[in-house]
Amino acid sequence: MNQNIFADYFAKFQEVNQQWWKELDSGKTAMNSPLNQALNEINIEDTAKLFQNAVNQPENMVKVQMDWWEKQLKIWQNVVMPSEGSSEPVMKAERGDKRFADEAWQNEAIYNFIQQSYLLFSETMQNMIESVDGLDDKARERLSFFTRQTVNAMSPSNFVSTNPELLKLTMETNGENLVKGMDLLQEDLKSSSEVLKVRMTNDKAFSIGKDIANTEGSVVFKNDLFELIQYKPLTESVHKIPVLVVPPFINKYYILDLRQKNSMMRWLVEQGHTVFLMSWRNPDASIAQLDFEDYVLDGVTKAVDVVEAVTGQKQMNAVGYCIGGTLLATTVAYYAARRMRQRFKSTTFFTTILDFSQPGEIGAYINEQMVSAMEIQNNQKGYLDGRSLSVTFSLLRENSLYWNYYVDNYLKGNSPVDFDLLYWNSDSTNVTAACHNTLLRKLYLENRLVDKQGIKVGGVWIDLSKIKSPSYFISTKDDHIALWQGTYKGAMKLSGDTTFVLGESGHIAGIVNHPAKNKYGYYIADKLEDNAETWLEGAKHYEGSWWTNWDQWLSAFSPKEKVLPPQMGSDAHPVIAPAPGQYVLQTLPIEVAAKVVDEVTEA
C-alpha cells in the first residue's frame, strides 16, 4: 500500500472511528440499548448453566475434547505432511457455504489449515452444547444460535490477514479496495439505526412506481394507517368475486409487485381477477399507540368495506402474507365472534404463523427478559425501528445475508449490485410500539392467538376455530422466518376446508415464484394429517410454480361466467391518486410526522 493510499485509508478510518464513538456516547448504538443489556444477561445465564452442568459430566466433555484433538491432529498431518490417500479434507464447508470458494483455501497449505481448523472449532462448539445433559430446550437453542452467530462473525473469511482472496486483492489494488470499502462503511453507519445495516444493493437503482411497484392502478381509499390500491383490469372480462390482498405491515407491499416479470399483482390481474391491495403507512412516534387491534378494526375491516362498496360484491377472496395473514385470520375470527355475515368466499395464507409454538430461529430472542427489554425500547421511541428489524432477520442467515455483504462491500470495496428483491429487503418499515409489543408478548411469547379466550379485538374474544371459510395455506420448505411445520399447526386450528401446499425454497423466493420462470416446485396432498411430517410423506411433488394451482383453486369461488370489470373507485370512494400512492414512498428515518398526518386529514 503506497503512502498516499495509506494516508487516505487512515484518514477514513479515523472519521469512521470518531463517528462510531460519537454515536456510542449519544446512546444510538445497540451497545447501550436495553435489548443488548438483556441479551448479555441471558447469554451469561445460559453459559453459566452450560458449565455448571458440564462440570458434572466430565466424560462428555472429555469425549468432545478428544474428538477435537484427533481431528485437529489429522488436519495438521494431512496439510503439512500429506501422504498418498490422505488428500480428502477432514473438514468441509457445508453445501452452499461460499465463504471458502476461492481455490487458495484448498490449494495453499496455510489457508487450508486455517479453514479446516476453523470449521472444526465451529463444529466442536456446537457439539459441546449438544453433549451437555440437563439444559432445557430453550436454553440449548439460544446457546446454539448465539454461539453460531459469534463463531461465524470470527470466520477467517471476514478478515484481510486470514483471507487469501482479500489479501491478494489488497496487494493488487495497492489497498484501494479498503479505501473504497471505508467510504461505503461510513455511508452505511450514517444510514443505520442501532445496529450496522450493511447495504445489500444500490439504494438508488430503482424508482418506486417506475421500475418497481409499477402495476397500473389507483388509490381509492386512505386513512392514517393504510392506502387501498385498486389495480386496473388487463382483461375485457373478470371473475365476479374480487380479491383483497393484506401484505405484512412490517415490510413494504411491493414484494408482491416488483418488476413486470415477477409481479404477482400483475399476474393476478392478467388472470382476470379484480385485485385490491393494502399499502401500510410507515409509522413514526405520532401513532405509537396504534395496536394490533387497530390494524384489524381501522385496517382490514375498512378495506373490506371499501372493496364491497366499489365492486358491489358482498363477498371477496382474501389473501394475507406472513404477519398480514395473521392479521387476516384475526379479522375473519372477529367477524365470526360478532356474528356478522360472512365477508369472505375464501382465505389464502402465505407463510402465515397462527400457532406461535414453533417460531423458528427468531425464537432465540423470545423470552421474558428479551421481550421486556424490547418493550422498554419500543416505548422509549414510540416504534420499533425497521432498520434494526431488517438486520435481525438478516442475521438469522448471517453468512449469506450479512457477512458476505460485509466482506464484499467493506473489504473488497465493491459497489452493491442492482437487484430488485434486495432493494425491497433494504427498504425498511417501522412497527408501532403498541403493535410490536403485542406481537412479541401475546403472540410469540404467550401464544395466545390459539386460545379461545386469549386475545380480544373490538371487545370480543378471537377464536380461530370459528373460521369456517375454505382456506389455502402456502408455506415454503426452507423458510427460516415462518417454519412450515409451525404454519401447518396453525392451519389445523381452522374449521373450514383447508388446503395446505408446501413450496420449495424460502420465505420470499418460494412465494415470489412466477410461472414464467417455474424455478421451484411444490408439494400437495389430498387431505391434512395429524402432523406435518406425516402429511409430507403422503404429499405429491409437482414441477412448476404453485401460483397456477392456487389460481385454479381461487377461480372456483367465482361463477364460471365472467363479468365486465368494475369501475376504478366509486362515488363514495373516488380515485385519490395513481398507484403506488404515497405511503410506500416513505423511507427511514421518517422525520416529519405531522406533515403526513395533515395530508391524511385533508384527504
Side-chain angles (χ1 to χ4, degrees), residues 62 122 187 191 206 214 234 260 326 354 374 406 456 466 471-472 476 485 487 489 581:
V62 169
S122 179
E187 290 175 15
S191 60
F206 301 98
N214 60 4
L234 294 176
Q260 183 173 332
T326 311
L354 300 178
M374 283 189 273
Y406 177 95
K456 266 189 174 183
K466 290 183 178 180
S471 297
Y472 187 103
T476 53
Q485 294 89 342
T487 63
K489 291 177 69 174

Side-chain angles (χ1 to χ4, degrees), residues 195-216:
V195 184
L196 174 64
K197 183 180 178 184
V198 183
R199 76 180 74 186
M200 297 181 177
T201 188
N202 179 2
D203 58 8
K204 296 180 176 59
F206 301 98
S207 176
I208 297 175
K210 294 181 180 178
D211 309 304
I212 51 180
N214 60 4
T215 298
E216 192 173 353

Side-chain angles (χ1 to χ4, degrees), residues 223 225 292-303 305 327 331 334 338 457-459:
N223 64 13
L225 197 55
F292 187 76
E293 176 183 45
D294 298 299
Y295 278 81
V296 173
L297 301 177
D298 294 327
V300 182
T301 63
K302 294 288 186 185
D305 291 340
L327 186 63
T331 304
Y334 165 74
R338 292 290 303 273
V457 171

